[in-house]
Amino acid sequence: MKVALIGYGMMGKVIEQKLLARGHEIVGIVSMDRLQSIKDISEPFDVIIDFSHPDNLASLLAYVDVHHTPIVVATTGYTDEQVASIKHAALQSPVVYTANFSLGVTVMQEVLRQITPILEDSFDIEVIEKHHNQKIDAPSGTAKMLVETLNPDGIYEEVFGREGSSKRKREIGIHAVRGGSIVGEHSVIYAGEDEVLEIKHEAHSKGIFANGAIKAAEFLVGKPVGLYNMHDVLFSK
């Protein structure tokens, strides 16, 4: 597999190492100290992996719209408008986009889909996410993704943090913790009468996101036009 790698920060370097270890070829790296644009890559490539910055999205999607190149969009922090543009690009090109490329989080989502309908009538549901003290957005994109999995039909009110005094309604509480160097933790708590079930994922390094992005790229090569996520990557036949 020949890859165009967008972004050469910490994640880009990790992806480079893992791609080469798996026998793939990187034909070009776009970053401030490498190539300035994807248009500067002279060799053909099979797929784009983007782990850069939201500001690069418009130029990348403009290239994809013309060349219909498969792209794995692994950058985070997009606005709603940018997410809409990613979905629009998938009308003409194969695209993998998700809030979290961890294989474990993807499996966690599948578990939540199966157990929530069984427990929702007799258990309260809370989501807690923890990240390092430099993370700007809260709650995390992954926490929002998990809530969408828990509440696909919008039957729960989504409550972000709590203060004051009010009786619990049909709701999902969502709580964010910021401190230290926590890479990422996400917990879903089902609290029932005299019992508590907690489904938890801990990220111990950012390498897990590189693994998922590479697996997504391998999946995407040769796929038809469309928007895919990590559930498709792991569970589609």
Side-chain angles (χ1 to χ4, degrees):
M1 181 174 71
K2 294 186 176 183
V3 179
L5 178 59
I6 314 301
Y8 200 59
M10 182 176 67
M11 283 305 307
K13 292 179 174 65
V14 172
I15 288 179
E16 178 188 38
Q17 294 172 357
K18 291 180 177 290
L19 280 169
L20 297 177
R22 292 171 76 115
H24 299 306
E25 180 182 354
I26 301 172
V27 300
I29 298 174
V30 177
S31 71
M32 292 182 63
D33 57 348
R34 298 292 184 104
L35 299 175
Q36 296 301 301
S37 168
I38 193 170
K39 296 178 182 178
D40 297 331
I41 300 176
S42 58
E43 295 184 50
F45 45 87
D46 302 308
V47 64
I48 302 165
I49 299 179
D50 173 36
F51 243 122
S52 59
H53 190 277
D55 289 348
N56 297 324
L57 182 66
S59 61
L60 278 177
L61 294 186
Y63 180 93
V64 168
D65 284 345
V66 172
H67 298 278
H68 308 297
T69 310
I71 182 170
V72 175
V73 183
T75 301
T76 59
Y78 290 120
T79 64
D80 291 342
E81 291 77 12
Q82 287 176 312
V83 172
S85 70
I86 294 170
K87 293 178 179 179
H88 180 76
L91 298 175
Q92 301 184 59
S93 306
V95 178
V96 173
Y97 171 69
T98 184
N100 191 308
F101 278 84
S102 158
L103 306 184
V105 167
T106 305
V107 173
M108 180 180 180
Q109 280 187 279
E110 186 64 20
V111 171
L112 299 180
R113 287 189 184 97
Q114 294 186 36
I115 67 175
T116 300
I118 299 170
L119 301 178
E120 61 184 358
D121 289 336
S122 54
F123 284 69
D124 298 321
I125 305 174
E126 299 281 300
V127 176
I128 302 174
E129 58 98 343
K130 304 176 185 179
H131 284 88
H132 53 85
N133 57 20
Q134 300 301 305
K135 186 170 178 62
I136 298 173
D137 58 310
S140 67
T142 301
K144 293 177 182 178
M145 181 178 70
L146 294 176
V147 171
E148 289 176 4
T149 303
L150 294 164
N151 192 28
D153 300 320
I155 62 174
Y156 289 96
E157 179 183 353
E158 297 171 9
V159 178
F160 297 91
R162 286 198 179 86
E163 63 179 356
S165 56
S166 61
K167 188 175 180 180
R168 185 184 182 97
K169 297 172 285 188
R170 190 172 178 83
E171 63 191 37
I172 296 176
I174 305 155
H175 313 277
V177 175
R178 296 290 176 268
S181 59
I182 302 170
V183 175
E185 295 182 16
H186 293 86
S187 298
V188 176
I189 298 172
Y190 297 86
E193 188 71 27
D194 298 326
E195 60 179 329
V196 175
L197 173 64
E198 181 175 359
I199 311 297
K200 181 178 181 180
H201 178 270
E202 296 184 13
H204 293 165
S205 84
K206 293 187 176 182
I208 63 172
F209 309 122
N211 291 334
I214 293 170
K215 194 171 186 68
E218 293 168 339
F219 162 87
L220 199 58
V221 173
K223 286 292 186 293
V225 168
L227 181 64
Y228 302 91
N229 56 32
M230 285 302 291
H231 182 273
D232 299 314
V233 173
L234 293 190
F235 296 107
S236 64
K237 296 181 180 179

